[in-house]
Amino acid sequence: MSAREPGCYAVIFTSRLGDDDEGYAQTAARMVERAAAMPGFLGIDTARDGEGLGITVSYWRDEAAIAAWKADAEHTAAREKGRRRWYEGFDVHVARIERSYTAPAQAKLGT
Amino acid sequence: MSAREPGCYAVIFTSRLGDDDEGYAQTAARMVERAAAMPGFLGIDTARDGEGLGITVSYWRDEAAIAAWKADAEHTAAREKGRRRWYEGFDVHVARIERSYTAPAQAKLGT
């Protein structure tokens, strides 16, 4: 978690896992590692609750960085597998960040 | 989860809970209920993993709807309590949706 610059982009990926999640965790971890090596990658946060709803938000410098990540061959194969096998459904939203606020850990000590 | 119109807004709230989460779940549920009653509310998704990292994305028709929700008195009190007591840290990003993709449950049956 950290502040992002206005004008950068967030890709919000919301998904629901089905019953067959064999190989999912390994592929998800591999995709985080691979995304982090892409030019223009700014960060990623992911959370999945106990009922299979997951939200992953990745942050990118610009649209070109998002397009390059989308075109990555291993990522494309993983998306296809997710669509066919792992996910009951998902949404992707590409959004341009207008403004951000951050409260560091120290904030709770301040008052 | 559902597609959002381009031009609407996402508020991405990423937080890490501290050890003291007394009253948190009730307040969080109440805030979802209250947000959903606001004009311009389009939806909300939330996931928190086993290690206390949570991501909540709420969707709004326009900036005016976000401002009205931010000004809501009960929401303001809950944010203050979160900042002082519940959260070790958090980020908020306000982002304008450029485009969206949705895969319904049926998609996995298609191939």
Side-chain angles (χ1 to χ4, degrees), chain A residues 89-111:
Chain A
F90 63 83
D91 289 336
V92 182
H93 303 295
V94 178
R96 184 181 182 280
I97 291 179
E98 305 278 334
R99 59 188 182 280
S100 301
Y101 315 95
T102 292
Q106 290 81 344
K108 75 184 274 198
L109 304 175
T111 38

Side-chain angles (χ1 to χ4, degrees), chain A residues 17 40 48 53 60 69 79 81-82 88 97 100 106 108:
Chain A
L17 281 179
R48 186 171 297 279
L53 179 71
W60 301 89
W69 172 231
R79 285 203 311 277
K81 200 164 176 182
E88 284 189 356
I97 291 179
S100 301
Q106 290 81 344
K108 75 184 274 198

Side-chain angles (χ1 to χ4, degrees), chain B residues 4 20 26 37 40 56 69 78-79 81 91 98 107:
Chain B
R4 318 293 170 184
D20 175 9
Q26 296 92 316
T56 296
W69 172 231
R79 284 203 312 278
K81 198 163 176 183
D91 289 337
E98 305 278 333

Side-chain angles (χ1 to χ4, degrees), chain A:
Chain A
M1 299 191 301
S2 68
R4 317 293 170 186
E5 293 297 313
C8 79
Y9 286 79
V11 179
I12 305 164
F13 178 69
T14 307
S15 63
R16 191 170 291 282
L17 281 179
D19 295 330
D20 176 9
D21 64 355
E22 190 188 334
Y24 172 76
Q26 296 92 316
T27 299
R30 169 72 180 152
M31 286 304 110
V32 169
E33 178 186 288
R34 197 164 174 86
M38 296 290 294
F41 173 86
L42 300 178
I44 191 166
D45 293 312
T46 188
R48 186 171 297 279
D49 67 20
E51 294 170 355
L53 179 71
I55 304 175
T56 296
V57 187
S58 58
Y59 297 90
W60 301 89
R61 187 179 54 214
D62 51 30
E63 288 268 21
I66 295 172
W69 172 231
K70 189 175 181 184
D72 176 82
E74 199 174 327
H75 182 209
T76 299
R79 285 203 311 277
E80 186 55 31
K81 200 164 176 182
R83 186 187 293 266
R84 285 191 305 163
R85 178 167 182 177
W86 290 316
Y87 296 125
E88 284 189 356
F90 63 83
D91 289 336
V92 182
H93 303 295
V94 178
R96 184 181 182 280
I97 291 179
E98 305 278 334
R99 59 188 182 280
S100 301
Y101 315 95
T102 292
Q106 290 81 344
K108 75 184 274 198
L109 304 175
T111 38

